[in-house]
Amino acid sequence: MTSTDVPRTAGTAEDGRRETARRLLDSSAMLSYDPATEVDWETPLDKDFHGASPEWSTLYGTSYWAEMSTEQQKELTRQEAASVASTGIWFEMILQQMVLRDFYAKDPTDPAFQWALTEIADECRHSIMFARGAEKLGAPPYRPRRLAVELGRVFKATASGEAAYAAILVAEEVLDVMQRDWMRDERVVPFVRTINNIHVVEESRHMKFAREETREQLEGAGPVRRRINALVIAIASYFIVSSMVNRDVYKNAGLDTGRALREAKANEHHKSMMRSSCAGLMEFLGSCGLLTKPALVFYKRANLI
């Protein structure tokens, strides 16, 4: 047996978890942002810019997109960016409650406990940042449909272990890839680029922790538990991703909602963008044994695979 074949003991896993948490705490101390001062909230919105990279628009590449004026295209990307931000707030509130439940009454001297509180503090700042950003983009408050809200209410109160942390990872990684494009794109309004940069830098630590927690929670998990939670994670992922762009963005951008919804649903370009953005995530979930046949049904419906 080689050294890599030796199974991890509980002590080794716990030591690794503590060390990861210490590194994340150190990184947070060295590189964190205060959106209240880092983002330019005072300069009026410049409507010559997009709100997101146009290639990420749900209508990019469709016949409707080709018919739209440049001003309409920019307005649509601003509304879509605001909708994504609003969905991010919704899920960050779910995330905070799941993490708080997980660490309730645990050892406060544990670096993982302290990191959990640090992550929650980050998410509070991010939610306020997203809210102010959506408002500055001239968008109304976008909320997920009622079914997603009610299922989220149940999920935040009951999800634990790998179901909680893998769902957290899905939401964070999908946002991460698109926001990396937006923060580098000079066509995107500068304050949104700053918001995306802050979120990408700080969420990279959150994703690291979520991956570590997912792996650790799965250690010793039996096949039945693994299959059940694989499906729970996939269903949660479907509702997260399908809630990102609210149907009202089209009306608020001055478009025909019915036509826009039809063309967005059939948009192969956007589906391809989503699949490519999730390639690494799907590889990770597969390595954890979480891409079961029932789970794949929901990932395919969400265009994540």
Side-chain angles (χ1 to χ4, degrees):
M1 179 181 288
T2 66
S3 59
T4 56
D5 294 325
V6 177
R8 292 172 67 187
T9 65
T12 301
E14 183 63 23
D15 289 345
R17 182 169 179 263
R18 286 173 174 267
E19 182 56 34
T20 296
R22 288 191 188 96
R23 290 199 303 271
L24 293 174
L25 285 167
D26 290 343
S27 175
S28 180
M30 290 187 294
L31 189 59
S32 289
Y33 298 94
D34 180 359
T37 57
E38 295 287 343
V39 180
D40 178 7
W41 300 114
E42 301 304 320
T43 302
L45 174 66
D46 187 341
K47 292 190 175 182
D48 286 336
F49 288 92
H50 284 275
S53 296
E55 291 79 9
W56 276 100
S57 173
T58 54
L59 289 181
Y60 184 87
T62 66
S63 59
Y64 204 174
W65 179 269
E67 295 173 20
M68 292 162 61
S69 67
T70 301
E71 290 72 23
Q72 283 180 310
Q73 292 172 352
K74 292 176 179 177
E75 181 60 32
L76 176 59
T77 63
R78 289 194 291 269
Q79 294 295 324
E80 288 177 321
S83 179
V84 169
S86 296
T87 302
I89 295 168
W90 169 63
F91 192 75
E92 284 179 345
M93 294 185 74
I94 293 173
L95 179 161
Q96 291 172 58
Q97 293 177 73
M98 291 193 298
V99 173
L100 277 172
R101 280 196 299 104
D102 186 29
F103 282 89
Y104 174 72
K106 290 186 177 179
D107 178 6
T109 66
D110 182 350
F113 182 99
Q114 296 168 26
W115 166 252
L117 295 183
T118 301
E119 179 169 347
I120 290 167
D122 287 348
E123 299 297 8
C124 286
R125 292 196 307 275
H126 294 170
S127 292
I128 295 169
M129 175 176 72
F130 284 161
R132 293 184 69 179
E135 181 181 19
K136 185 166 180 175
L137 284 168
Y142 289 113
R143 296 182 179 90
R145 59 193 184 276
R146 182 64 180 270
L147 178 59
V149 170
E150 295 307 320
L151 289 175
R153 197 185 304 280
V154 174
F155 188 70
K156 70 182 176 61
T158 60
S160 61
E162 64 272 16
Y165 284 100
I168 289 171
L169 184 64
V170 170
E172 290 174 339
E173 293 229 10
V174 171
L175 274 176
D176 181 72
V177 174
M178 64 176 69
Q179 288 184 328
R180 285 179 185 273
D181 284 349
W182 302 358
M183 74 183 195
R184 293 188 290 256
D185 193 337
E186 294 185 356
R187 297 170 296 176
V188 175
V189 65
F191 83 91
V192 169
R193 295 177 63 192
T194 303
I195 287 173
N196 291 327
N197 182 68
I198 291 171
H199 198 246
V200 164
V201 169
E202 297 187 347
E203 287 295 325
S204 65
R205 297 189 286 263
H206 301 182
M207 290 188 291
K208 172 69 173 175
F209 188 67
R211 283 179 179 247
E212 290 293 320
E213 285 294 315
T214 300
R215 290 192 188 97
E216 182 179 337
Q217 297 288 345
L218 282 168
E219 288 184 0
V224 173
R225 170 180 152 184
R226 195 178 295 263
R227 285 196 294 271
I228 291 172
N229 280 335
L231 182 57
V232 170
I233 295 160
I235 294 171
S237 301
Y238 169 77
F239 279 99
I240 293 166
V241 172
S242 64
S243 297
M244 282 189 169
V245 178
N246 190 292
R247 60 179 290 146
D248 288 344
V249 301
Y250 306 115
K251 177 185 68 177
N252 293 328
L255 304 179
D256 178 332
T257 299
R259 180 184 176 188
L261 287 169
R262 290 192 298 273
E263 296 209 19
K265 185 176 180 179
N267 189 354
E268 292 301 325
H269 169 80
H270 190 258
K271 293 176 185 178
S272 176
M273 293 285 282
M274 293 298 294
R275 285 193 294 269
S276 63
S277 73
C278 293
L281 170 63
M282 292 299 118
E283 182 180 352
F284 172 75
L285 294 177
S287 72
C288 294
L290 295 173
L291 290 185
T292 60
K293 286 185 179 180
L296 285 172
V297 171
F298 287 90
Y299 289 123
K300 288 177 181 177
R301 285 186 65 186
N303 300 307
L304 299 183
I305 198 167

